[in-house]
Amino acid sequence: MPNINAAAVDLFTAKAKPVTIEVSTVNTLEEAMKFALEVCEKKTLGKSLLPGTASPDAPRKKTLAAPALDEQSWSFLADGGTKKDFEMVRGGLRNYLGGIDVTFSVADMGIADTATSVIECEKEDVRLSTMICEIHVVALAKSKIVSSSYEAESYLLTALAKDRNYTAFISGPSRTADIERVLTLGVHGPLELYLVLLEQ
Amino acid sequence: MSLENMKSYHSSLQQALDDEFLRKTLDKFAVQFKANRQTIFADVNEKELIAEIAEAKDESLDHLDELYEQFCQHAAKKGIIVHRAATAKDACDLVCQIANENKVKTVIKSKSMTAEEIHINHALEKNGQEVCETDLGEWIIQLRHEGPSHMVMPAIHLSRYQVADTFTDETNEKQDSDISLLVKVARRQLRSKFAEADMGISGANFAVAENGTIAICTNEGNGRLTTTLPRVHVAICGIDKLVPSLHDALRVIKVLPRNATAQAITTYVSWITGAVDCQADVPERRKIFHIVFLDNGRSQIVKDRKCRESLRCVRCGACANVCPVYRLVGGHQMGYVYIGAIGLILTYFFHGHDRARVLAENCIGCEACKDVCAAGIDLPAIIQEIRARLNEEFGSPMVPALMGRVLASRKLFHTLLKFAKFAQKPVQSGQYIRHLPDIFIHGQGFRALPAIADKAFRDIWPAIKPQEKPGGVKVGLFAGCAQDFLYPGHLTAAVKVLSKLGADIKFPDDQSCCGLPVQMMGQRKYAMETAKANVLAFKNAGVDHIVTLCGSCASHMKNRYPDILADQNMDDDVKAFSDKIIDFSSFLVDVLKVKPEAFKNGGEKVGYHYPCHLVRGLSVVQEPKVLLKAAGDYQQSPEEDVCCGFGGTYSLKFPEISATLLENKLNNVEATGATYLVTDCPGCYMQLNGGEQKRGGKLKVEHMAEFLARHMID
């Protein structure tokens, strides 16, 4: 059983609320995936932002993307999604620039004092999936939460020493206050961010 | 914006002051920002972090070439193509060349001040490319063909209705003014731009030398799409953004978003290194990644001892957020590309001395910017330095030059004042100057101006000089020109209070003006001469403390003299002098340890105005309140520490702004029900008292010394 820094987990949860991250806790990754499927089921079907590439009014299925999952997890999620009649997307995200409904990601690390999910996304599909969805569901193991960014430093240094790397700190849904300083969510990226903490 | 000359600039300022939406928006922003900033900094040690950032930035600036080399070595191994551009034109040419080589037709941009600095859009459009901004604010102003009015919120000057009109024109569909709907319009319109673009241009908040990584902080996420979808990515980055290590970047990220938008972190921070995966039509499915490092004079600024601190800037924009002048007139009047205090400075370095001439005058010197700067930059000092250089380059305006000469010569100054005392008789009415033709006091109708006192303090002193107190704390009284000649009553009140509390008071006769007015006007030579005269005047006075009744004199003599007199071979004397400087309120509370029992408290309701240079220049916060609570019924008013609009000669140069700041200040204090308003500076006193006289208000304005003298128990 990996060590969990309980204080850091509490801090993460406390810091998440003001930046409009909805935090919940489950035991396993499978439960987190079920959570993502439920979120997708409950949401209304998103409209394509790219009229012309496909007819925006044509009936289409809800889409759920998870390009970074390993075979076993993908298989579990894809089964669940297919049963609910979702279009399950694992790659070729460029074909979905009009938008997808939900993306499910697994964070590599969490930084408590800023409620940050650290997600390695060198693969374009992973990067795109976390941006073009309307709802982003991120699973984060409690054991991977550190108190501050300085504690994530050695992880990041290893990542950035690679020949190619694109690591994202994500601390909430896409936001803007550029019109009259009124906070508005979802200007380019997700409108909502759900953070699912994993006990295991 | 009209920066061609002062007349057109004043006209633009007035237009901005008359813009009700702008005024209301920026007022609200200024108040909310301060409160939110305080909350978000609660869980970090602000001062310690800022000091660390300043030190690390200075260290980096000393090694920029090495950091650049180190970055290039890592970048080369990772397939990043790095360029270094000496000038803005070179950078534009390079980016255009990259665009041509890659047959780029459409370009999308995420927000980058460096790209704005070199006017890359214009260059690319001239080169045949279509350019689209993707930061919401930047896109709005691009559609309106306007410049940014804030470094972080470029469209803060616009209302939802103006944005709706702009989007209606862009989409050829009537758009609702509901902000969430407007944001959706942008989401939809810009997604297709992202999908189609061949090249993405970003800035970089950091370039990390130890691993050839750039980092980009955004809230909207447009930076991530800009660096992901197009097949070519060009990052334009000032060489000052080079940092040795990841740790340096992480440290700045702890302050930058807190200072910019009162967030603990921006929603997205993207760390990018190497030619990352790209599924567009590119060889080996690898992004074509160029970084253009821009010098544009930065290497020269590094060598510029008095201004190099400006390269510490992390572009948070907080210097505008807290600037009382920005709050009134907005960013279009407070910078060319870069906005706020740093904007006044960088305009001088990057966008021409002509433009900077007008802008550099519009700093009131309140030091609010210095107080919040994420990198601890002494912005007001650099602005003063730039004024001095502009005076040397273009010649001094007549009035400051004459004033400088007069203030530097104590004898000439005193002779002229005595002459002026008689000359003012025809227009004098009691303590005030009245009926002056507008040509002499253009725009000064918002306040009553003081008459020169019948008898200067230095002439009163021999008669009121208390007996020596051999065991008392030995204190030298620094009069300063305003109190010596306009308000000697403040000083006689101080003598009464100090003497009653047992201090042994000296008044060295050879002292002069502190020199701040001439320093503010960029009169370097005269600022040095007055400083030197004062150090020498107190050198053998045999005092342990030098008390001033003016926060500005105190701050100037304590903080600036060491630098002003650095070349005069008198470091020990200057240090001894500066170390002894203390303001009146602090001297009473911290040195004399005055007790409430020293005063008879009749419960007079009294408000306080913090002089800028007392609260920020000397960090004096509690002491005046301790005294007011001891001698009266202290009433806290909103924004006690915001400038009253005096700013020395600023109020003469920009009366329209000065008057508005004054009105806000008096309204705030009157609303508390206070009957007295106390301050610790003769300049603020002149402004507050003159304003209240003019508007016939009920507030009685007093210097702290006067208020306390009235309440001393005999």
Side-chain angles (χ1 to χ4, degrees), chain B residues 286-573:
Chain B
R286 298 278 167 231
K287 176 80 77 184
I288 299 166
F289 184 16
H290 293 257
I291 301 178
V292 177
F293 280 99
L294 177 71
D295 192 310
N296 205 20
R298 286 164 172 82
S299 298
Q300 289 305 308
I301 305 174
V302 170
K303 296 177 199 154
D304 184 332
R305 185 177 69 84
K306 298 215 168 181
C307 299
R308 64 175 264 153
E309 271 185 20
S310 58
L311 289 182
R312 290 183 194 160
C313 176
V314 299
R315 311 283 189 257
C316 67
C319 56
N321 300 354
V322 298
C323 172
V325 180
Y326 173 87
R327 175 176 173 174
L328 293 183
V329 299
H332 286 155
Q333 317 307 327
M334 287 296 285
Y336 178 63
V337 168
Y338 294 100
I339 309 289
I342 194 69
L344 305 190
I345 295 165
L346 295 184
T347 301
Y348 173 81
F349 285 113
F350 298 150
H351 296 116
H353 294 187
D354 279 348
R355 288 191 179 98
R357 262 184 101 182
V358 172
L359 282 174
E361 295 292 325
N362 201 2
C363 166
I364 201 164
C366 73
E367 302 194 356
C369 50
K370 178 184 169 185
D371 200 42
V372 297
C373 177
I377 305 170
D378 192 344
L379 295 148
I382 300 176
I383 293 171
Q384 283 173 24
E385 174 64 24
I386 286 170
R387 272 187 205 153
R389 290 182 190 183
L390 289 167
N391 282 346
E392 282 158 10
E393 184 181 348
F394 293 98
S396 298
M398 187 67 88
V399 173
L402 276 176
M403 204 165 150
R405 188 170 298 181
V406 169
L407 286 177
S409 163
R410 189 178 63 84
K411 278 190 180 162
L412 179 58
F413 182 39
H414 297 161
T415 309
L416 277 176
L417 277 169
K418 279 175 184 163
F419 170 75
K421 192 170 71 187
F422 292 106
Q424 75 185 1
K425 289 290 179 199
V427 292
Q428 186 179 356
S429 171
Q431 297 167 28
Y432 302 99
I433 297 281
R434 304 214 192 266
H435 320 303
L436 265 185
D438 189 60
I439 189 171
F440 291 117
I441 51 165
H442 180 69
Q444 296 296 311
F446 65 94
R447 60 182 176 185
L449 290 169
I452 295 165
D454 286 342
K455 211 167 181 181
F457 178 75
R458 61 187 57 237
D459 299 324
I460 298 170
W461 169 251
I464 64 161
K465 182 179 173 183
Q467 283 189 333
E468 284 192 19
K469 296 190 174 66
V473 177
K474 293 189 186 312
V475 58
L477 194 58
F478 180 82
C481 46
Q483 278 158 330
D484 196 354
F485 295 98
L486 296 174
Y487 304 119
H490 297 178
L491 290 158
T492 52
V495 170
K496 179 183 168 188
V497 174
L498 293 172
S499 176
K500 192 81 194 163
L501 295 171
D504 187 28
I505 312 168
K506 316 276 185 201
F507 182 76
D509 194 44
D510 284 345
Q511 61 182 284
S512 188
C513 165
C514 72
L516 177 61
V518 280
Q519 174 82 7
M520 288 285 285
M521 288 184 283
Q523 300 293 314
R524 203 196 304 269
K525 176 169 174 275
Y526 301 122
M528 189 276 290
E529 286 176 12
T530 47
K532 196 170 175 178
N534 286 324
V535 172
L536 295 176
F538 279 87
K539 186 178 174 183
N540 298 313
V543 295
D544 298 320
H545 305 273
I546 301 170
V547 165
T548 83
L549 275 62
C550 170
S552 298
C553 294
S555 166
H556 183 65
M557 295 191 294
K558 200 171 187 68
N559 301 330
R560 296 263 193 264
Y561 272 21
D563 187 51
I564 290 170
L565 294 170
D567 302 329
Q568 300 301 309
N569 284 326
M570 52 191 301
D571 287 357
D572 291 345
D573 289 342

Side-chain angles (χ1 to χ4, degrees), chain A residues 14-25:
Chain A
K15 295 290 179 184
K17 201 175 171 191
V19 290
T20 48
I21 300 174
E22 291 263 353
V23 180
S24 53
T25 305

Side-chain angles (χ1 to χ4, degrees), chain A residues 10 21 29 87 120-123 133 148 160 162 181:
Chain A
D10 290 346
I21 300 174
L29 184 62
E87 182 180 351
E120 196 279 317
C121 47
E122 195 274 322
K123 291 286 169 219
C133 58
S148 83
L160 298 175
K162 293 177 185 166
R181 295 183 51 253

Side-chain angles (χ1 to χ4, degrees), chain A residues 15 19 48-51 94 96-100 113-116 119 121-128 130-134 148-150 152-154 156-157 159-182 184-191, chain B residues 21 29 32 43 49 77-78 134-137 140 152-156 158-160 163 179-180 182-184 187-188 190-192 194-195 210-211 213 219-225 227-229 246-247 250-251 254 263-280 286:
Chain A
K15 295 290 179 184
V19 290
S48 173
L49 296 172
L50 291 180
R94 271 185 189 259
Y96 295 84
L97 294 182
I100 49 182
D113 66 353
T114 48
T116 297
I119 299 179
C121 47
E122 195 274 322
K123 291 286 169 219
E124 181 187 282
D125 279 338
V126 182
R127 241 175 294 147
L128 281 179
T130 59
M131 281 307 296
I132 61 174
C133 58
E134 292 192 348
S148 83
S149 60
Y150 289 164
E153 205 172 318
S154 61
L156 268 177
L157 280 172
L160 298 175
K162 293 177 185 166
D163 280 351
R164 290 178 288 278
N165 189 265
Y166 195 125
T167 292
F169 283 9
I170 300 180
S171 313
S174 159
R175 56 193 271 160
T176 185
D178 272 354
I179 304 177
E180 293 193 10
R181 295 183 51 253
V182 174
T184 313
L185 301 179
V187 57
H188 291 296
L191 290 91
Chain B
F21 172 79
F29 173 47
Q32 285 178 350
D43 56 359
L49 263 176
K77 282 185 218 156
K78 296 179 174 194
T134 62
D135 173 86
L136 176 57
I140 294 167
V152 179
M153 291 163 289
I156 193 173
L158 296 171
S159 73
R160 66 188 75 187
V163 176
I179 290 175
S180 62
L182 289 169
V183 170
K184 282 197 167 61
R187 182 181 173 92
R188 192 172 59 239
L190 290 171
R191 186 62 64 88
S192 58
F194 282 119
E210 68 176 332
N211 47 29
T213 299
N219 276 315
E220 299 182 0
N222 59 320
R224 296 190 75 215
L225 288 174
T227 56
T228 296
L229 283 168
L246 175 69
H247 190 79
L250 291 173
R251 185 195 294 119
K254 288 180 188 294
Q263 291 173 271
I265 195 166
T266 48
T267 301
Y268 301 102
V269 179
S270 302
W271 305 91
I272 309 170
T273 192
V276 294
D277 180 37
C278 178
Q279 296 300 311
R286 298 278 167 231

